[in-house]
Amino acid sequence: MRTQSIITLEQFIIEKEKSNPEATGGFSQIIRDLMLACRIINREVTKAGLVDILGSLNATNIQGEEVQKLDIYAEKQLIDALRKGGETCAVGSEEQEEIVFLNPKGKYVVLIDPLDGSSNIDVNGSIGTIFSIYKRISKGDQLLPEDYLQKGRNQVAAGYILYGSSTMLIFTTGHGVNAFTLDPSIGEFLLSHSNIRYPDRCNIYSINEGNYRKLFEGVKQYLRFIKTSNEVKKPYSARYVGSLVADFHRNLLKGGIYLYPGTTDKPSGKLRLLYEGNPMAMLAEQAGGMATNGYMEILDIEPTELHQRTPLFLGNKEEVNMIHNFLQVYDQISQLVTNTIGKEKS
Ligand code: AHM
Ligand code: MG
């Protein structure tokens, strides 16, 4: 019988801590806090269809979107766990207008999207929790914007929990991407995929193509190219769950690109830089992929506000570069046309 040694998340964290002489254990505590909360969230997610927790509270979050009960439940579990853990100075959440101050002595700032893809809750679809961890910069009693409005490059860790057919934790601390699958019988996350890399080829494209007529020309041309050009030898598959975590996860394992571009009515797109863009960008980069807003790398964007939105192109590096080129070429053309028309009129 083939035996394989099992590595639990706890063992993995301890090993990593030992190999870093500067580690104080604070960061590991945050991962433990998040995992405790996610185990509780997972329990509620899996019984969401059974109890009266499903459905909307008929409230809207600060983005003007409908908030579901489970979102609030998930956020509470995460914030409570981080508060008790004591290492987190402040938490920013997609559902909260302001940053939540926890412990002035905490060295870290944690940003969370407590339950992403929440429109999938009612239909038993995959959803996820996304997190992003930064070191606090300022030292005083007051938290400053520079502490939570940091570039994605400064993240010390990022990851997500996917509540799918299995529950998985995928995270990076800047040394590759590892995935742990929850074994519900023992309640432990077990290392299931080490050092994940994107497959060489991009096989899948994921976009809400229903927005087609509102897309900018570069994205339209890219979509036309991959669907109709003879240069594309093997057709791409279109796959879109409408849950970033689920779409990202599948594309990471199978090779693919996720697109949530800006549209003519919403040029900055829908997704949030700090809660969705940055953590996914760090994971993508660590797995050999790339993330941009179409013009620059997501991780290099200087945030100006907590709930800032960004267009997002995320996945296989070559594919993201290709879309970059499409955007630049077609942008230049539209710029030329606008300039020419402008001159003709004047
Ligand atoms: P949410 O944070 O409110 O759940 O919204 C984010 C989600 C992403 O998970 C998903 O990729 C996208 O919104 C789907 O948006 P759309 O329905 O416009 O395609
Ligand atoms: Mg979200």
Side-chain angles (χ1 to χ4, degrees):
M1 191 175 82
R2 188 169 152 259
T3 52
Q4 205 181 340
S5 67
I6 289 172
I7 301 175
T8 66
L9 175 62
E10 187 59 32
Q11 289 166 333
F12 185 88
I13 292 173
I14 292 169
E15 280 310 308
K16 293 290 163 202
E17 215 175 275
K18 276 192 209 153
S19 63
N20 178 2
E22 284 168 29
T24 59
F27 172 75
S28 307
Q29 180 59 44
I30 293 181
I31 299 288
R32 284 187 193 104
D33 300 341
L34 291 170
M35 285 320 101
L36 173 63
C38 287
R39 270 194 284 250
I40 299 171
I41 298 168
N42 181 57
R43 188 187 63 196
E44 293 307 309
V45 167
T46 52
K47 66 181 191 193
L50 298 171
V51 290
D52 188 28
I53 196 167
L54 190 63
S56 157
L57 265 185
N58 293 327
T60 50
N61 70 10
I62 62 137
Q63 335 268 354
E65 297 151 343
E66 200 176 73
V67 174
Q68 312 265 312
K69 269 188 187 176
L70 264 182
D71 297 28
I72 294 169
Y73 181 84
E75 180 185 74
K76 184 174 174 346
Q77 298 309 317
L78 289 158
I79 296 181
D80 283 356
L82 290 167
R83 183 180 282 116
K84 281 190 200 120
E87 301 291 342
T88 305
C89 169
V91 185
S93 162
E94 194 187 283
E95 307 295 341
Q96 296 277 339
E97 189 162 0
E98 303 289 342
I99 196 107
V100 181
F101 203 33
L102 296 185
N103 173 13
K105 294 207 167 68
K107 292 197 193 76
Y108 296 91
V109 172
V110 181
L111 302 180
I112 49 171
D113 183 350
L115 262 197
D116 182 71
S118 45
S119 64
N120 282 277
I121 297 172
D122 285 344
V123 295
N124 206 5
S126 294
I127 44 182
T129 296
I130 309 175
F131 62 89
S132 165
I133 306 176
Y134 293 83
K135 272 215 164 112
R136 181 185 178 184
I137 294 175
S138 70
K139 303 270 182 249
D141 285 348
Q142 292 275 317
L143 190 75
L144 301 177
E146 67 187 52
D147 295 319
Y148 51 87
L149 295 181
Q150 299 190 46
K151 283 198 289 198
R153 281 269 167 241
N154 294 358
Q155 288 171 108
V156 292
Y160 59 82
I161 291 86
L162 170 65
Y163 310 103
S165 47
S166 289
T167 299
M168 290 183 91
L169 157 71
I170 289 83
F171 80 109
T172 179
T173 54
H175 305 282
V177 178
N178 294 292
F180 297 80
T181 303
L182 180 67
D183 180 339
S185 64
I186 55 170
E188 289 277 2
F189 281 96
L190 307 179
L191 180 63
S192 51
H193 304 65
S194 16
N195 201 17
I196 303 174
R197 308 286 296 172
Y198 277 97
D200 290 338
R201 187 180 179 276
C202 178
N203 299 296
I204 295 166
Y205 75 104
S206 310
I207 180 171
N208 185 344
E209 235 175 323
N211 290 331
Y212 189 83
R213 71 189 163 85
K214 295 193 280 179
L215 297 176
F216 292 108
E217 198 52 30
V219 182
K220 285 183 177 172
Q221 291 295 339
Y222 163 78
L223 292 171
R224 260 180 234 146
F225 174 79
I226 63 170
K227 291 191 290 186
T228 61
S229 168
N230 291 333
E231 285 176 44
V232 177
K233 298 285 173 257
K234 189 171 168 233
Y236 291 58
S237 292
R239 296 281 183 274
Y240 190 70
V241 176
S243 173
L244 174 62
V245 170
D247 284 313
F248 177 87
H249 187 72
R250 184 205 48 247
N251 291 354
L252 175 63
L253 297 184
K254 299 204 165 188
I257 183 165
Y258 173 93
L259 308 90
Y260 210 110
T263 47
T264 46
D265 56 341
K266 292 181 186 155
S268 302
K270 173 183 182 188
L271 302 181
R272 292 79 173 172
L273 175 64
L274 296 177
Y275 308 114
E276 290 155 333
N278 279 337
M280 291 315 200
M282 183 177 185
L283 287 161
E285 195 173 278
Q286 285 294 317
M290 192 173 176
T292 77
N293 64 0
Y295 300 95
M296 66 186 289
E297 291 195 35
I298 292 287
L299 295 176
D300 292 326
I301 299 174
E302 293 276 2
T304 52
E305 46 183 289
L306 205 47
H307 294 280
Q308 184 169 338
R309 294 178 194 259
T310 179
L312 186 60
F313 303 94
L314 182 64
N316 282 72
K317 200 174 197 162
E318 278 183 20
E319 201 71 15
V320 176
N321 271 322
M322 176 153 89
I323 200 141
H324 238 233
N325 295 338
F326 269 92
L327 291 178
Q328 262 145 32
V329 168
Y330 284 94
D331 247 30
Q332 277 165 19
I333 292 175
S334 16
Q335 198 59 49
L336 262 174
V337 173
T338 318
N339 290 346
T340 318
I341 293 172
K343 273 185 197 140
E344 279 169 0
K345 278 186 180 161
S346 60

